C-alpha cells in the first residue's frame, strides 16, 4: 500500500489535464444517471479498499470542522467548544476551522481514529465520490485523487464508464 500512496501524487499529476477536461465536459452535460453510477462505482471500490491500510487522508490533509462538528466532538471530550478549538483547531484563509497540524491528532499508529464515532462530517463523507450532484465537486475530486487511492480508482473507472 505504501508504494501506491507514494506513487499517487505523480499518477494524479499525469492524469490531471485529462481529468480536468473530463470533469469540464461532465459539468456542462452530466448524464441523467450520474448519481447512480457514482454510487455504484463508490460501493464497488470500497468493497476492495480498506481505509485502515492507508489513512493517507488523515496523514496529509485535515478536514473542515463545522460548528456542529465542534459541538459534537467537544461534548465527546466533555469540554467546552472553545477549549476544543484552542487545543486542536485554527482558522484558515477561507475562515474555516481546520486542524492546527497534520497528521490528524486523532489518528493512531494503527490508522484507527480515536474519535471515529463523532468524527467531522468531512471525514465521514471523504472522498466524497458518492455525493449527489457529483459533477459540482470536480475541483475537490481533482485534489482527492492525489490523496486517496480509492478516489483515483473511482475516477479512472468513471472515465471508462461515462463516455462524454
Amino acid at each position: 500500500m505504501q508504494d501506491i500512496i507514494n506513487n499517487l501524487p505523480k499518477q494524479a499529476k499525469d492524469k490531471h489535464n485529462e481529468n480536468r477536461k473530463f470533469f469540464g465536459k461532465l459539468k456542462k452535460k452530466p448524464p441523467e444517471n450520474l448519481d447512480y453510477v457514482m454510487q455504484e462505482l463508490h460501493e464497488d471500490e470500497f468493497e476492495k479498499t480498506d481505509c485502515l491500510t492507508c489513512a493517507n487522508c488523515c496523514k496529509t490533509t485535515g478536514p473542515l470542522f463545522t460548528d456542529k462538528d465542534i459541538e459534537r466532538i467537544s461534548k465527546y471530550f466533555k469540554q467546552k467548544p472553545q477549549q476544543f478549538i484552542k487545543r486542536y483547531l485554527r482558522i484558515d484563509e477561507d475562515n474555516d476551522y481546520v486542524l492546527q497540524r497534520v497528521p490528524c491528532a486523532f489518528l493512531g499508529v494503527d490508522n484507527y481514529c480515536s474519535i471515529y464515532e463523532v468524527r467531522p462530517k468531512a471525514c465521514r463523507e471523504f472522498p466524497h465520490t458518492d455525493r449527489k450532484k457529483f459533477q459540482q465537486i470536480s475541483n475537490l475530486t481533482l485534489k482527492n485523487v492525489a490523496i486517496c487511492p480509492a478516489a483515483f480508482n473511482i475516477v479512472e473507472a468513471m472515465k471508462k464508464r461515462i463516455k462524454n
Side-chain angles (χ1 to χ4, degrees):
M1 177 53 84
Q2 196 55 50
D3 286 343
I4 292 168
I5 294 167
N6 292 344
N7 292 326
L8 198 56
K10 184 188 179 327
Q11 282 185 297
K13 189 177 180 198
D14 292 346
K15 297 277 187 175
H16 183 78
N17 286 339
E18 177 185 313
N19 289 346
R20 201 171 38 77
K21 286 178 189 163
F22 177 80
F23 283 127
K25 290 178 183 175
L26 195 67
K27 235 181 204 175
K28 287 180 186 154
K29 193 169 186 259
E32 281 184 31
N33 66 341
L34 180 63
D35 289 345
Y36 297 105
V37 169
M38 293 312 300
Q39 186 72 43
E40 186 180 317
L41 293 173
H42 178 90
E43 287 172 6
D44 288 351
E45 181 60 32
F46 281 99
E47 282 177 16
K48 303 178 280 199
T49 299
D50 177 8
C51 293
L52 292 173
T53 64
C54 179
N56 199 42
C57 51
C58 307
K59 294 172 184 171
T60 62
T61 63
L64 297 181
F65 285 74
T66 65
D67 290 341
K68 281 184 179 179
D69 293 332
I70 293 167
E71 288 285 333
R72 184 177 61 256
I73 299 166
S74 59
K75 187 176 178 183
Y76 175 82
F77 283 126
K78 297 177 174 62
Q79 59 186 202
K80 295 200 180 318
Q82 274 313 116
Q83 291 172 292
F84 175 76
I85 290 167
K86 186 175 181 188
R87 180 156 185 203
Y88 295 105
L89 306 180
R90 67 177 175 83
I91 295 178
D92 72 2
E93 59 280 352
D94 297 324
N95 221 23
D96 292 315
Y97 281 110
V98 296
L99 291 170
Q100 289 177 6
R101 59 188 145 286
V102 291
C104 179
F106 308 112
L107 180 67
V109 292
D110 56 1
N111 288 344
Y112 276 86
C113 174
S114 64
I115 62 165
Y116 189 80
E117 305 79 36
V118 294
R119 69 195 183 280
K121 182 178 187 244
C123 297
R124 276 183 270 130
E125 294 179 354
F126 191 85
H128 312 286
T129 46
D130 61 346
R131 185 186 282 190
K132 296 218 180 308
K133 295 187 172 44
F134 176 79
Q135 73 278 10
Q136 294 177 350
I137 60 161
S138 57
N139 288 342
L140 179 61
T141 303
L142 285 170
K143 290 177 185 171
N144 289 346
V145 296
I147 298 164
C148 176
F152 183 90
N153 293 341
I154 291 166
V155 169
E156 291 304 300
M158 180 183 162
K159 291 186 298 192
K160 289 177 184 150
R161 182 91 164 268
I162 299 170
K163 304 291 182 203
N164 63 5

